[in-house]
Amino acid sequence: MTEMEVKLGQLTLKNPLLTASGTFGYGREFAQLYDLSLLGGVVVKGTTLEPRPGNPPPRIAETAAGMLNSVGLQNPGLGQVIDQELPWLAQFDTAIFVNIAGRKAAEYQEIAACLDKVESVRALEVNISCPNVEAGGLAFGTDPKAAAAITAAVRDATSKPVFVKLSPNVTDIVPIAQAVEAAGADGITLVNTFLGLAIDIKTRRPLMANIVAGLSGPAIKPLALRLVWQTARAVRIPVIGIGGIMSGQDALEFMLAGARAVQIGTANFYNPLAGPQIIREMAGWLENEGVRDINEIVGEAL
Ligand code: SIN
């Protein structure tokens, strides 16, 4: 049997597969289908200080090889997440990451300080890459100084590992990745969605109420893989790869490109059993190849 345990700095995951923020809720629906303890980790929906209703519909559209979303960080707010969602999720033996978002640095810091006291939270994922909100989100993730400032604010507020989720919607990912590393990030998650647009030919208008939206799914895999590869060459902290992973083979490509763990997002929508299936496929492929430990292949393609 191939050893599937991975280390992300101080954090150990039983296997490298996490479910991506915003694609898995808090796991309640998926727990009716399989044991969430099979997963290396679960990243919960982007959490803000106050509840948010998100953007008005339409805010989801299928595309030829993926989907567009402009959800706008709908979530029940930090209080409910701490009081109801995290205690429920903590029954499973899987690493809980909380994805956090805010309009300004002080909000990120306040959320991080509150979550620092929640024992079941293993790591924070700082969302500076949501393309669907007016304030915060992408505005922080496209500028190295702003990205570093948010990272440093969160770093000051918590002793938990801090992963920063970056946007692919930049000319050069390297200075941003290096800025968050220098500001104290323990790791980087990338990529969030690519900015896209859908047009309704009947109304002759943009389909989404928010006009632009984020593209995910198999269409973005080669683009995401390139960004992971470039980032893994440029930083020393661990990278978590995400972008169109649909199979064990896809996930292994990201690990060969330097990712120490992976997240699956859009796959959860079309196949709710994708998580455990992809873990099995990764382990099966590695066993067939005679690889004893998954860590042996990390970064082989760098
Ligand atoms: C959303 O809620 O709009 C998606 C979250 C994200 O892209 O970070």
Side-chain angles (χ1 to χ4, degrees):
M1 293 274 282
T2 303
E3 176 58 67
M4 293 295 280
E5 185 179 287
V6 293
K7 283 200 168 38
L8 304 174
Q10 303 296 317
L11 187 65
T12 301
L13 304 180
K14 64 169 69 165
N15 66 59
L17 193 127
L18 302 123
T19 56
S21 173
T23 67
F24 204 71
Y26 300 93
R28 289 181 191 270
E29 297 77 12
F30 293 85
Q32 295 169 34
L33 301 173
Y34 67 87
D35 178 4
L36 304 190
S37 302
L38 292 169
L39 299 168
V42 170
V43 188
V44 304
K45 176 70 184 158
T47 302
T48 53
L49 268 182
E50 305 299 335
R52 289 198 194 176
N55 293 329
R59 57 186 199 177
I60 298 276
E62 203 170 328
T63 66
M67 63 182 274
L68 283 163
N69 93 79
S70 101
V71 170
L73 294 177
Q74 176 181 349
N75 79 98
L78 182 63
Q80 184 173 321
V81 171
I82 290 178
D83 292 345
Q84 290 174 34
E85 306 300 346
L86 296 178
W88 179 85
L89 193 51
Q91 69 184 288
F92 299 99
D93 178 20
T94 188
I96 301 176
F97 285 49
V98 181
N99 181 293
I100 65 172
R103 291 188 179 86
K104 48 190 183 185
E107 280 181 22
Y108 282 89
Q109 200 162 36
E110 193 176 337
I111 300 170
C114 290
L115 289 170
D116 190 57
K117 302 188 195 87
V118 182
E119 206 184 321
S120 62
V121 175
R122 298 284 302 285
L124 303 185
E125 184 177 76
V126 182
N127 188 346
I128 53 168
S129 45
C130 177
N132 307 323
V133 287
E134 256 176 46
L138 196 54
F140 295 135
T142 48
D143 172 52
K145 280 203 187 110
I150 301 292
T151 306
V154 173
R155 173 74 291 153
D156 277 354
T158 182
S159 55
K160 294 192 192 279
V162 172
F163 291 79
V164 182
K165 187 167 183 181
L166 297 183
S167 171
N169 300 296
V170 294
T171 312
D172 187 358
I173 196 75
V174 168
I176 297 173
Q178 289 175 335
V180 303
E181 178 179 42
D186 297 286
I188 288 171
T189 304
L190 85 160
V191 297
N192 206 324
T193 52
F194 286 78
L195 280 171
L197 179 73
I199 303 275
D200 181 339
I201 59 167
K202 290 201 197 91
T203 63
R204 304 181 185 185
R205 299 286 308 145
L207 182 72
M208 301 283 195
N210 196 48
I211 311 204
V212 296
L215 179 68
S216 60
I220 72 166
K221 195 191 92 180
L223 306 171
L225 200 55
R226 188 265 297 176
L227 288 156
V228 166
W229 182 85
Q230 266 187 313
T231 301
R233 286 163 68 93
V235 298
R236 288 176 305 280
I237 51 177
V239 173
I240 302 177
I242 164 174
I245 295 173
M246 296 285 146
S247 67
Q249 285 83 351
D250 289 343
L252 290 167
E253 284 181 42
F254 276 81
M255 297 197 72
L256 289 163
R260 297 217 151 258
V262 292
Q263 294 184 7
I264 55 161
T266 306
N268 292 312
F269 289 102
Y270 89 94
N271 174 11
L273 297 173
Q277 273 176 19
I278 291 174
I279 297 165
R280 274 200 305 277
E281 285 171 15
M282 292 171 87
W285 188 89
L286 292 167
E287 267 164 49
N288 280 344
E289 292 288 310
V291 178
R292 288 209 309 228
D293 184 329
I294 190 166
N295 294 287
E296 288 169 26
I297 69 147
V298 171
E300 266 196 77
L302 287 175

